[in-house]
Every structure is written in structure tokens, then in C-alpha cells.
Amino acid sequence: QDELYKKICEDYEDLIETLPKGKGWWVEHLYKHNGFWLAPIMVKNRLLLHTYFKSQPSDLFLASFMKSGTTWLKALMFSTINRHRYTISDHHLLRLGPQSTFPLMELEFDPTTDLTHLPAPRLFNTHLPLTLLPTSMTSCKFVYICRDPKDVLISKWYFTSKTRSKDLAPLSLDEVFELFCQGISECGPIWDHVLQYWRASLDSPDKVLFLKYEDLKKQPEVELRKLAAFMGKPFTVEEEEKGVVEDIVKLCSFESLSNLEVNKKGVNDFKVVEVENHLFFRKGEIGDWKNYLSEEMKERIDRITDEKLKGSGLIL
Ligand code: A3P
């Protein structure tokens, strides 16, 4: 076991030497690996996942590009799957917050992590693009959440400026904008990330559920019903009558979660980094980019989005 672990660490060191290097937002440098820009820890843990992660057919993955609504979906998936375990007034989420519910694999997984005791379906989160996941994982079900790239850019700039090491120079909006457009951003380019999961959802709708942040904001109950049915836990007529759908939507709303003590003062330990929970809640709105991007910036991003998504059937 130790020999194998050592070998993977050596392979990682060799690999990283060969990869193109770019500027990171959250970390100092990103490395381009099979078309995507990854933080070094992601490159390493991805190799570990390939060797050590043993998937189960009932596993459910939440995949997303950072800042697309992961925290919200974590809360919705966890509370929907576990709706018979907790009452709304005494809920795990109220005490410990969404980040505590299930792990972000490329940061929190290591070979010593025992996942065998978790009840089925096990829930996992990843920001990795589909083509960088171990093939054993890709036979599991995935829920993917996407969001207008302009809102992702602003949300990510805020988040990474707060979590970026104080030893590194802060990044200006102009700088992150340019990097974002070039695709240089943790797990970027965002367009390729989204498209991989989009195409998989078209090929295998029973395996990949593709959701949009904007739809969730506009019609949360409709999207939650879709999510529950996809996860194999559709709401019953009795639950509908009791208002369970509305209760879960309310429990997981921005207003509810952002006002919890644990999300105002708590910290989540992602093993390689600790992050203050409040940083996962900024505004939770559609179109806040309008307060930051010039008309020219907006047009440039929209043009890239149109070009990249042309012919895919996806509109962002
Ligand atoms: P903003 O920065 O635009 O406010 P992620 O969870 O993927 O890191 O994404 C964070 C973004 O989702 C932030 O967007 C955050 O405010 C928003 N968010 C977090 N919880 C939410 C919720 N319950 N409802 C709607 N948006 C939420």
C-alpha cells in the first residue's frame, strides 16, 4: 500500500514537471492537464482517486464548475435523500451547514479515507471535468449544476480573492477577466467543463441530470421534484400534500442557510484547506455581473459562450 502510494506521488511529481503552467486564482499556479487547468492538489488527488476510490453503483455525484451553486445543491441533495432521517426544525443542515454534508473529492479524499461505512446512496462532490474522473466513477449517477459564466466569474473572483494566500498579490478584475476568457481558472475553461456534462446528459439522461442555477432560482419546486425523481427518491402524493417539497426548498434557500450561525461563524475543513463558511454565501442572485462588467466585457464573454456552445443545443 505504502509503496503504491509512494509511486503515485512520484508519478505526480514527474507529471507536473511536464504540464503547461498558468496563473492560479486560488493557488499560485495552475497546470494544464488534458485540456483543463488544475491546482496541483487536484492533479495529485485525481491520481489517487483513480487508484483508491472504489465506486458503488448507487453512488451519487454532484458535479459543478466552482461557484455555480454547489453549496445550494449539496443542501438540496442531502436533505432530499435524508428527508426521513431529520425533522425540518432539528436538521443536520441547521446545525452543521451544507459543506459538512458530503466531501469534495479532489480536496478531501485520501487513501486512508474510509467510505465503506457510509449509507447508500453515498453522496460525493467534484469540480473535476468528466474526462478527468476515474472510469469507475463515470458509471455512477451525476447531478450537474451550471450557471451563467458571467455570474460565475464575479462569484469566483470574490471567493478566490478572500481565500487566496495573503503571500500572493491580489488579482484585479481585469486580470481575472482575461484569465477567465482564456480558460485559465481552476478546472477551466468553464465552457468545456459545462459541455462535457451537457453532452453526457444528452447521451444518458438517466445517468446525468443537468440543472441550471437560473432555473432553480425561478422555479425551485419544479427543479427539486426533478432532482428527487432522478435520485430515485420521488416525492409521494402524501409528501406533496404535506408540503415537504416547499419545506426543503425553504430550508435550503439562500436566506435560510446564509443566516445560520454555522454559516456566519463556522469554518469548513476541506483537509488541505480551511474555508470560512460565510464565503459560500455572497448575494445568491442572477445577473449581479451587471454591477461589475463593462458592456465590452459582457460582449466578449457572451461571444465566447456563443461560439463554444454553438450546435450543442445548450443555452447559457
Ligand atoms: P454569488 O457569489 O453570486 O452570491 P458554490 O456553492 O458553487 O461555491 O457557489 C456559490 C454561489 O452560490 C454564490 O453566488 C452564493 O451566494 C450562491 N449560493 C449559495 N447558497 C445559495 C442558495 N441557497 N441559494 C442561491 N444561491 C446560493
Side-chain angles (χ1 to χ4, degrees):
Q1 180 102 354
D2 278 353
E3 280 306 305
L4 185 56
Y5 181 77
K6 238 171 78 189
K7 166 90 175 54
I8 296 170
C9 293
E10 283 165 13
D11 288 350
Y12 156 74
E13 300 288 346
D14 293 344
L15 172 66
I16 207 116
E17 289 285 302
T18 66
L19 302 177
K21 201 164 156 181
K23 197 162 197 165
W25 301 33
W26 169 55
V27 293
E28 187 172 15
H29 293 118
L30 299 178
Y31 294 85
K32 196 173 190 185
H33 190 23
N34 294 349
F36 289 91
W37 291 95
L38 304 185
I41 185 73
M42 294 173 171
V43 178
K44 181 174 173 186
N45 283 359
R46 179 186 164 259
L47 294 179
L48 292 172
L49 280 169
H50 273 259
T51 304
Y52 291 101
F53 180 73
K54 303 280 173 269
S55 68
Q56 294 174 3
S58 57
D59 288 345
L60 282 168
F61 278 85
L62 163 59
S64 61
F65 192 85
M66 262 173 91
K67 303 297 127 195
S68 299
T70 321
T71 311
W72 193 6
L73 249 294
K74 263 184 153 180
L76 288 168
M77 287 172 72
F78 180 84
S79 45
T80 302
I81 289 290
N82 293 296
R83 62 188 186 265
H84 304 299
R85 257 173 83 191
Y86 305 105
T87 59
I88 294 284
S89 57
D90 182 28
H91 205 282
H92 173 102
L93 275 180
L94 299 178
R95 280 175 274 118
L96 299 167
Q99 297 308 340
S100 68
T101 54
F102 51 99
L104 178 59
M105 294 307 265
E106 60 274 16
L107 292 194
E108 294 181 59
F109 180 81
D110 71 50
T112 63
T113 319
D114 179 18
L115 303 168
T116 50
H117 66 285
L118 295 177
R122 303 183 304 178
L123 296 169
F124 300 114
N125 178 208
T126 184
H127 292 315
L128 289 173
L130 192 56
T131 46
L132 287 182
L133 293 175
T135 35
S136 72
M137 267 188 201
T138 51
S139 59
C140 303
K141 278 189 172 185
F142 279 78
V143 176
Y144 186 79
I145 174 101
C146 79
R147 188 182 187 189
D148 181 339
K150 300 187 290 298
D151 280 330
V152 172
L153 160 64
I154 297 303
S155 185
K156 188 165 176 178
W157 180 47
Y158 165 83
F159 182 82
T160 52
S161 67
K162 301 281 180 195
T163 48
R164 187 174 162 85
S165 162
K166 299 285 171 275
D167 301 335
L168 304 173
L171 298 177
S172 68
L173 179 56
D174 283 342
E175 211 169 346
V176 292
F177 175 78
E178 192 53 45
L179 291 169
F180 192 78
C181 289
Q182 290 174 21
I184 306 174
S185 155
E186 286 78 4
C187 295
I190 184 171
W191 301 277
D192 305 56
H193 197 283
V194 173
L195 273 174
Q196 285 194 347
Y197 285 97
W198 169 250
R199 293 203 172 106
S201 77
L202 295 182
D203 290 345
S204 318
D206 52 326
K207 287 280 182 206
V208 183
L209 176 70
F210 192 93
L211 299 174
K212 292 182 179 171
Y213 182 92
E214 291 76 14
D215 292 343
L216 257 174
K217 283 292 283 189
K218 289 178 197 153
Q219 41 178 27
E221 285 86 8
V222 174
E223 299 303 298
L224 180 59
R225 286 188 189 101
K226 254 194 241 172
L227 175 66
F230 174 80
M231 296 192 301
K233 307 271 181 207
F235 293 106
T236 61
V237 175
E238 201 192 357
E239 285 179 313
E240 286 281 359
E241 282 169 5
K242 281 197 342 218
V244 174
V245 179
E246 289 75 9
D247 284 348
I248 292 179
V249 164
K250 198 163 158 218
L251 173 73
C252 301
S253 69
F254 184 86
E255 291 65 32
S256 150
L257 295 180
S258 61
N259 282 309
L260 296 175
E261 198 61 13
V262 61
N263 288 332
K264 285 184 171 171
K265 305 230 173 91
V267 170
N268 194 65
D269 181 3
F270 287 96
K271 283 206 173 156
V272 290
V273 62
E274 288 195 339
V275 182
E276 292 172 49
N277 286 333
H278 71 89
L279 296 175
F280 291 98
F281 303 92
R282 192 182 62 98
K283 289 193 180 170
E285 289 170 4
I286 299 175
D288 186 48
W289 59 265
K290 292 192 183 97
N291 297 314
Y292 297 87
L293 301 182
S294 66
E295 190 55 29
E296 205 178 306
M297 289 164 131
K298 173 216 178 260
E299 278 171 15
R300 180 156 165 214
I301 296 201
D302 284 349
R303 205 165 44 242
I304 302 174
T305 303
D306 288 348
E307 276 165 18
K308 289 264 197 177
L309 269 49
K310 200 162 63 195
S312 70
L314 175 62
I315 297 168
L316 283 182

